Amino acid sequence: MRLRYCRLPCTYSSIMIASIPHCHFTTSSTLLNHPILKKTHLDPPHKIYQFSQKPIKTPSLKEVGKQARLKEAYQILTRLFPDQNPLQFCPEEAYSSALELCANKKALSLGKQVHAHMMKSCTVCDSVFLSTRLVFMYGKCGSLLSAEKVFDKMPHRTIFTWNAMIGAYVSNGEPLGALSLYREMRVLGVPLDSCTFPCLLKACGALNNLHCGAEIHGLAIKSGYDSIIFIVNSIVAMYAKCSNLDGARQLFDGMTEKEDIVSWNSIISAFAANGQSVEALGHFRDMQKLGLALNTYTFVAALQACEDSFFVKLGMEIHAAVLKASHDVDVYVANALIAMYARCGKMDEAARIFYKMDDQDYISWNTLLSGFVQNGLYEESLKFFYEMQDAGRKPDQVSVLNVISASGRLGNLLNGMELHAYAIRSGFDSDLQVGNTLIDMYAKCSNISYMGRAFDRMADKDFISWTTIIAGYAQSKAYSRALELFLKVQIEGMDVDEMMIASILLACGGSNNISYVKEIHGYILRRGLSDLALQNSIVDVYGECKNIDYAKRMFESIEYKDVVSWTSMMTCYLHNGLPNEALELVYFMKETSVEPDSIALMSLLSAAASLSALKKGKEIHGFLIRKGFIIEESLANSLVDMYARCGVLENSYKLFNCIRHKSLTLWTSMINANGMHGRGKAAVDLFNRMKVENIVPDHITFLALLYACSHSGFIDEGRRFLEVMQCEYHLEPWPEHYACLVDLLGRANHLEEAYQFVKTMQIQPTSEVWCALLGACRVHSNKELGQIAAQKLLELGPENPGNYVLVSNVFAASGRWKDVEEVRMRMKGSGLKKNPGCSWVEVDNKVHTFVARDKSHPQSDEIYHKLAQITKTLESKGGYVAQTKYVLHNVEEEQKIQMLYGHSERLAIAYGLLGTPNGTPIRVTKNLRVCGDCHTFCKLVSKVFERGLVVRDANRFHHFGNGVCSCGDYW
């Protein structure tokens, strides 16, 4: 190897002193106690020998060695000794050539045979030169223990011996061993040569030991080796590995002659490895300007600096430079090009390079495979994995990791299980990273049973293992199990980070355990883990646990709120039935100059939909268009749902028809939109269109379909769809599907059939099922079945206060006031409260809220006066008579009439007539089912006052016009 020398200014020592103020080499307890360093090598000083090379050659052995025929070389070696004249034959050189050949080919078995042959030969058994060769060979072949044994038994060692042993430690991933040997050399006074420094510096870099690296740098200066280029390059690489780029840069900048390509490669690699892409690519440009010959290492380092799509143009320029330099792109550069294009999201280009390669290695296959996974092309990654197998490549651990991850992302449990089995057969399952990826895959496939087994089978678990399993349980709604494991983490004294805490907060929110949330919140504050992401999560969780006050206080305490903070508070309001507050929050958000993202806007659309606030919904839609949001997927679903819930079904259809690639969720949203407007036939037609387009329905689709059938009286269709769901699509019905069919049969007054269906259900009837039957019994005055359903509902102890209210109303309709009081006391004892009737109406771009007999509105007097006028007009012109049977309270008749007059939807309609122009429809939303008397009241208002009314209650939409309702009095 020809070395170039350059005069370097005496700044190395100043760099070293600047970066390490108090630099001295100390041996840590970790270093001394390392298992591979139990032998201390502190024998009496050994004499350092210099040996001469013998001039006699063995051409036949070398010639065979060059052709890499190891066995033949060994056979020639064994024949040489009896056949050759000792004066004409040099055994040292023969053995040396054989050992070098074994080292180059990593032929450990043949190397051991050569060693055994040497042991039998008295002429070479004490040769320092050959013993050094043995240390080198064993190190290269990965047998560190054998190298140590040879080294320890040597009575005399040269500097080459020490270098061979240091190199063996470094190349076998034991940098601590190399530094321990360096310590011993210093104690024994063994002088270092130029070949010692690169290995020691590499060991320092591997350990990220800047102090030790700086000491060795200082020793290189003291020994006069600081002008040797390859040592300077090693020092640059060490500083880069230790993240001291200033030191690396100063060394490189201090070089007076910069013609050595390795120096440039070292500094480019240093910047690239530390994420400083601009600096790395700047040096690559400088190198090109100087006209230096670029080699494989230069291109690989520069391509590594192109870390994302921002650098794709520069990456393509480097690609062009590669092609210009040589028509034949070697495998290393090709692999770097594949990796670069994958990082930049150009998978077509990455694949094109791969398929143009003459000979792909494992890195080529795995780089492209990883690229598919990293770019979300999971189906393509699985196809490529099978292609890899068809090409005769046995998947290695990296390949398996990638496809297990892809299977999890696709939710493909069967494929994931096949890969798990392959990992077990190949012995990969014992690897920690594979185990963690399997846990994550089973979690994403919602199979917590297999996820738990994979975790339990792991012999060694790290922090990632625990974080992954806890997150898996929390996301799969196994909240108690997640909390149990978190407790175990704390008992075992493991560290807890923000990611694990976020999973625990999810578990606390899911289990609605406010005391746990407060405990975790306190733990976060004590440990100082409260970053912005966690603060946002705490707002979310308090909202899920219905503690608005704590959520609001937490939100207000966040100093620098991001869009997620605002979205969390909006979601909190929505989750707790406060959509008006969610919409108001957006005005405060604007004052902070935080722009809403698509998630925030979907929350606002949901709030507008909850209130049937059409103007607000249109404003948000307009904002989406002005800001250039692409209306597809989740945003399209939200807009379709918003227009449908605001009563403008035609707008939902317009949006639906504009979307070219319709997802299952969009089809389901449109089916549900028709269902809530009582358009059962349109819902069924949509389902049939969906089937034609080969969209496979899921549980939610069938739920929307059965709901549509229920509100349109499609009995035969409802029965058929439940059968299709089970037999054709192999979907096991949820309790909600059964409840829908019971509701359908009950509304159609097929009460006996509904009751028989409940009794023959494949699962135990839930409170939703009995509630559907009880509601139908109340509408059709079937007291006998109603009492059975009411009793079953009470036995189940429903958590929904609406179910208690329904039972109470059934008893009240039968005049069973004692039972009514008993149900109400039971409800009170359970800590449940009846949701008060509440209605909303949008007037002057503001949503106004009313509750029964409410007088809190600023225009309350005007509203009640207007309502009295409306009622009087309806009585005189429309023949309206209050139907007091709908008042289920044990009070006087006159009081019942006054209670009817004070229902929240009537107040909202009165205010709508006061505040909106003639001829415009009034849109009212109510949180409960509209009673029969208010339904009649609305029909008469639409006829007498000639105003369209769009009323959405808890069940469906009612479009009133000219005295008729779209529901056909069927709700």
Side-chain angles (χ1 to χ4, degrees):
M1 178 178 177
R2 188 164 61 88
L3 300 177
R4 289 194 182 95
Y5 293 82
C6 62
R7 293 188 184 90
L8 296 173
C10 299
T11 55
Y12 297 155
S13 55
S14 61
I15 294 165
M16 183 183 66
I17 292 164
S19 59
I20 310 295
H22 304 289
C23 181
H24 60 279
F25 186 85
T26 56
T27 305
S28 68
S29 58
T30 308
L31 188 76
L32 292 172
N33 293 329
H34 194 272
I36 204 160
L37 307 178
K38 288 183 179 176
K39 300 175 188 174
T40 56
H41 301 299
L42 292 176
D43 300 328
H46 297 277
K47 186 175 179 182
I48 309 301
Y49 280 83
Q50 300 291 331
F51 48 79
S52 60
Q53 298 284 347
K54 304 281 192 215
I56 302 170
K57 299 179 181 179
T58 53
S60 60
L61 184 63
K62 282 190 174 181
E63 189 176 330
V64 173
K66 284 178 183 176
Q67 295 173 17
R69 298 199 298 271
L70 288 170
K71 288 186 179 179
E72 190 176 339
Y74 179 72
Q75 288 167 1
I76 290 171
L77 178 69
T78 56
R79 289 199 301 270
L80 282 172
F81 289 93
D83 296 342
Q84 297 289 331
N85 186 326
L87 294 175
Q88 298 175 338
F89 171 65
C90 175
E92 272 199 352
E93 186 167 350
Y95 282 124
S96 175
S97 297
L99 289 170
E100 184 179 0
L101 187 58
C102 291
N104 290 340
K105 298 297 178 182
K106 292 183 170 51
L108 179 61
S109 178
L110 283 173
K112 285 182 176 180
Q113 290 180 50
V114 174
H115 188 183
H117 203 284
M118 287 168 55
M119 297 288 287
K120 295 176 185 176
S121 173
C122 297
T123 57
V124 297
C125 60
D126 293 329
S127 169
V128 176
F129 170 70
L130 287 181
S131 294
T132 300
R133 278 290 193 188
L134 279 169
V135 172
F136 178 79
M137 182 274 294
Y138 280 125
K140 281 286 186 181
C141 292
S143 182
L144 195 56
L145 188 62
S146 299
E148 281 186 311
K149 285 179 179 177
V150 174
F151 183 84
D152 289 344
K153 287 180 181 178
M154 290 176 67
H156 307 292
R157 300 166 186 154
T158 67
I159 185 60
F160 304 107
T161 313
W162 291 91
N163 287 348
M165 194 64 231
I166 289 170
Y169 279 126
V170 172
S171 63
N172 285 279
E174 291 292 343
L176 280 170
L179 295 184
S180 178
L181 214 57
Y182 162 70
R183 176 179 58 82
E184 187 178 337
M185 288 176 75
R186 299 301 305 276
V187 170
L188 296 174
V190 178
L192 281 65
D193 72 356
S194 60
C195 295
T196 316
F197 286 99
C199 284
L200 290 175
L201 290 162
K202 190 173 182 181
C204 294
L207 292 167
N208 199 20
N209 191 332
L210 185 57
H211 284 276
C212 182
E215 181 188 323
I216 293 167
H217 180 187
L219 187 61
I221 295 170
K222 187 178 178 181
S223 305
Y225 291 122
D226 57 323
S227 60
I228 299 176
I229 289 294
F230 71 84
I231 293 180
V232 176
N233 294 339
S234 297
I235 297 169
V236 169
M238 179 275 295
Y239 279 122
K241 282 281 187 182
C242 295
S243 303
N244 187 343
L245 288 181
D246 288 338
R249 185 189 284 111
Q250 287 183 50
L251 273 171
F252 180 79
D253 291 344
M255 295 169 65
T256 54
E257 296 179 20
K258 295 179 180 175
E259 296 178 1
D260 184 67
I261 195 168
V262 179
S263 304
W264 285 93
N265 291 347
S266 296
I267 196 68
I268 293 170
S269 296
F271 283 120
N274 284 273
Q276 297 199 18
S277 301
V278 175
E279 288 82 354
L281 294 169
H283 279 80
F284 177 76
R285 289 275 197 212
D286 292 341
M287 204 176 167
Q288 286 180 306
K289 288 175 185 176
L290 289 172
L292 295 175
L294 310 177
N295 65 10
T296 293
Y297 298 103
T298 317
F299 288 125
V300 169
L303 288 166
Q304 284 173 343
C306 301
E307 57 187 3
D308 54 38
S309 56
F310 181 78
F311 295 97
V312 67
K313 188 178 178 183
L314 289 170
M316 292 172 76
E317 287 179 16
I318 297 166
H319 188 182
V322 169
L323 296 175
K324 188 177 178 182
S326 172
H327 291 292
D328 298 321
V329 180
D330 71 36
V331 69
Y332 302 106
V333 175
N335 291 343
L337 282 166
I338 294 168
M340 180 274 292
Y341 280 119
R343 287 194 301 272
C344 295
K346 297 276 187 181
M347 286 308 299
D348 288 342
E349 192 63 28
R352 191 179 67 79
I353 291 165
F354 175 84
Y355 288 113
K356 277 191 173 182
M357 291 173 71
D358 294 327
D359 185 25
Q360 301 100 338
D361 61 7
Y362 268 103
I363 295 172
S364 316
W365 287 92
N366 285 333
T367 303
L368 190 60
L369 182 61
S370 299
F372 283 127
V373 176
Q374 288 161 11
N375 285 279
L377 302 171
Y378 307 120
E379 293 282 5
E380 289 81 354
S381 69
L382 292 178
K383 290 174 185 173
F384 186 69
F385 177 73
Y386 297 131
E387 184 183 332
M388 181 180 182
Q389 290 177 299
D390 292 341
R393 291 278 182 179
K394 186 179 178 183
D396 62 5
Q397 191 169 303
V398 177
S399 318
V400 171
L401 271 170
N402 275 298
V403 284
I404 290 173
S405 178
S407 299
R409 297 285 182 180
L410 289 168
N412 191 331
L413 178 62
L414 184 61
N415 210 73
M417 291 173 73
E418 286 178 6
L419 290 162
H420 189 179
Y422 179 85
I424 292 169
R425 289 196 303 272
S426 305
F428 299 149
D429 63 318
S430 58
D431 177 76
L432 184 61
Q433 197 175 357
V434 171
N436 292 340
T437 308
L438 284 167
I439 294 168
D440 183 62
M441 180 272 292
Y442 283 123
K444 285 183 169 60
C445 292
S446 302
N447 193 314
I448 59 174
S449 174
Y450 277 37
M451 178 184 74
R453 287 183 200 174
F455 178 76
D456 292 337
R457 278 176 58 91
M458 290 176 69
D460 298 308
K461 302 177 181 76
D462 64 359
F463 180 74
I464 295 171
S465 315
W466 288 94
T467 304
T468 307
I469 190 77
I470 288 171
Y473 279 124
Q475 290 161 11
S476 300
K477 300 184 180 180
Y479 305 124
S480 58
R481 184 66 181 138
L483 292 168
E484 285 170 20
L485 286 175
F486 179 65
L487 182 62
K488 196 169 182 181
V489 164
Q490 290 180 295
I491 291 169
E492 295 193 6
M494 283 185 273
D495 286 330
V496 175
D497 69 353
E498 290 84 355
M499 193 174 292
M500 188 181 287
I501 290 291
S503 296
I504 291 303
L505 284 170
L506 176 64
C508 292
S511 58
N512 279 319
N513 194 322
I514 189 66
S515 61
Y516 275 171
V517 176
K518 289 178 180 178
E519 280 183 34
I520 298 298
H521 190 181
Y523 178 86
I524 290 167
L525 294 174
R526 289 193 303 274
R527 294 291 302 276
L529 296 171
S530 193
D531 63 4
L532 182 58
L534 271 184
Q535 289 174 324
N536 295 338
S537 296
I538 293 166
V539 173
D540 274 332
V541 175
Y542 277 129
E544 286 177 33
C545 293
K546 303 189 185 302
N547 196 320
I548 300 287
D549 184 47
Y550 272 52
K552 191 175 179 182
R553 284 162 63 184
M554 184 69 225
F555 173 73
E556 288 170 351
S557 72
I558 300 172
E559 188 174 358
Y560 301 105
K561 300 175 183 70
D562 63 0
V563 67
V564 180
S565 313
W566 291 95
T567 307
S568 296
M569 196 63 222
M570 287 176 199
T571 307
C572 171
Y573 281 133
L574 285 171
H575 183 76
N576 288 278
L578 299 168
N580 221 351
E581 285 78 355
L583 285 174
E584 287 173 0
L585 203 63
V586 76
Y587 296 111
F588 297 105
M589 183 179 175
K590 285 179 182 177
E591 290 175 7
T592 63
S593 301
V594 175
E595 282 281 308
D597 61 5
S598 60
I599 308 297
L601 291 166
M602 283 191 287
S603 295
L604 291 171
L605 284 169
S606 180
S610 297
L611 297 166
S612 291
L614 181 60
K615 286 185 180 178
K616 295 283 184 189
K618 284 183 173 180
E619 282 180 13
I620 298 162
H621 189 180
F623 181 86
L624 285 166
I625 294 168
R626 288 195 306 276
K627 293 295 181 180
F629 284 91
I630 298 170
I631 310 297
E632 59 183 16
E633 295 297 331
S634 299
L635 274 175
N637 298 335
S638 295
L639 283 166
V640 165
D641 183 61
M642 181 274 293
Y643 280 118
R645 290 169 73 189
C646 287
V648 192
L649 193 58
E650 57 270 24
N651 282 11
S652 293
Y653 263 109
K654 284 177 185 175
L655 272 163
F656 177 78
N657 291 329
C658 284
I659 306 300
R660 297 181 68 181
H661 303 290
K662 299 176 179 67
S663 65
L664 172 62
T665 310
L666 188 61
W667 283 98
T668 303
S669 294
M670 202 64 230
I671 290 169
N672 186 59
N674 280 284
M676 72 171 76
H677 284 271
R679 298 182 58 176
K681 186 178 184 305
V684 172
D685 290 344
L686 275 168
F687 178 74
N688 291 331
R689 274 178 60 192
M690 190 179 91
K691 285 175 67 178
V692 169
E693 296 197 19
N694 296 317
I695 305 292
V696 179
D698 62 4
H699 283 88
I700 308 296
T701 311
F702 279 105
L703 198 58
L705 203 54
L706 288 168
Y707 170 83
C709 292
S710 175
H711 286 281
S712 298
F714 289 2
I715 300 171
D716 294 336
E717 288 85 347
R719 292 194 194 102
R720 181 171 62 83
F721 284 131
L722 192 70
E723 186 179 338
V724 166
M725 176 185 179
Q726 293 172 282
C727 301
E728 191 174 329
Y729 292 100
H730 308 291
L731 296 171
E732 197 60 38
W734 295 343
E736 290 85 353
H737 294 97
Y738 290 118
C740 258
L741 192 63
V742 171
D743 183 64
L744 168 59
L745 294 170
R747 284 174 185 276
N749 203 11
H750 291 213
L751 292 172
E752 193 57 43
E753 184 184 348
Y755 181 52
Q756 291 303 318
F757 176 78
V758 171
K759 289 200 295 185
T760 57
M761 275 171 55
Q762 295 176 358
I763 62 169
Q764 196 70 24
T766 61
S767 59
E768 291 91 349
V769 174
W770 289 113
C771 186
L773 183 60
L774 180 59
C777 291
R778 181 193 164 199
V779 170
H780 296 291
S781 302
N782 190 323
K783 295 180 181 179
E784 185 181 345
L785 268 182
Q787 287 179 10
I788 294 171
Q791 191 59 42
K792 291 289 187 183
L793 199 53
L794 290 173
E795 285 173 9
L796 289 170
E799 294 180 3
N800 184 351
N803 294 344
Y804 279 109
V805 172
L806 181 59
V807 173
S808 173
N809 289 346
V810 169
F811 288 156
S814 303
R816 295 167 57 181
W817 299 111
K818 189 176 179 181
D819 291 332
V820 169
E821 188 60 30
E822 188 181 324
V823 170
R824 288 176 180 170
M825 290 301 292
R826 184 171 171 178
M827 182 177 169
K828 189 176 180 181
S830 301
L832 299 173
K833 291 181 180 179
K834 176 189 174 183
N835 294 323
C838 185
S839 296
W840 297 269
V841 64
E842 190 178 23
V843 175
D844 293 333
N845 204 24
K846 186 179 178 183
V847 178
H848 300 262
T849 307
F850 298 91
V851 294
R853 298 180 295 283
D854 183 18
K855 292 192 177 180
S856 62
H857 196 279
Q859 294 175 262
S860 180
D861 291 340
E862 292 177 62
I863 293 167
Y864 274 94
H865 181 67
K866 181 68 175 177
L867 182 57
Q869 285 182 341
I870 295 167
T871 306
K872 195 171 182 179
T873 303
L874 295 183
E875 287 172 345
S876 61
K877 293 185 177 180
Y880 170 69
V881 177
Q883 300 171 72
T884 56
K885 67 178 182 179
Y886 293 108
V887 180
L888 301 171
H889 292 273
N890 191 14
V891 294
E892 295 296 328
E893 196 70 12
E894 185 59 36
Q895 195 173 347
K896 288 183 179 181
I897 292 171
Q898 292 305 314
M899 291 174 79
L900 282 173
Y901 288 175
H903 278 189
S904 62
E905 60 266 51
R906 300 193 191 201
L907 295 172
I909 290 167
Y911 187 64
L913 287 169
L914 271 174
T916 58
N918 289 332
T920 57
I922 299 168
R923 301 176 190 279
V924 175
T925 303
K926 186 174 183 181
N927 64 335
L928 304 176
R929 182 181 182 271
V930 170
C931 75
D933 188 64
C934 287
H935 194 265
T936 302
F937 178 88
C938 291
K939 287 197 291 183
L940 290 171
V941 166
S942 70
K943 182 178 181 180
V944 173
F945 290 90
E946 298 180 351
R947 295 290 291 272
L949 294 179
V950 181
V951 179
R952 191 185 94 208
D953 69 3
N955 283 352
R956 57 165 294 159
F957 265 93
H958 302 266
H959 294 262
F960 296 98
N962 198 27
V964 178
C965 180
S966 60
C967 74
D969 299 336
Y970 187 94
W971 84 105

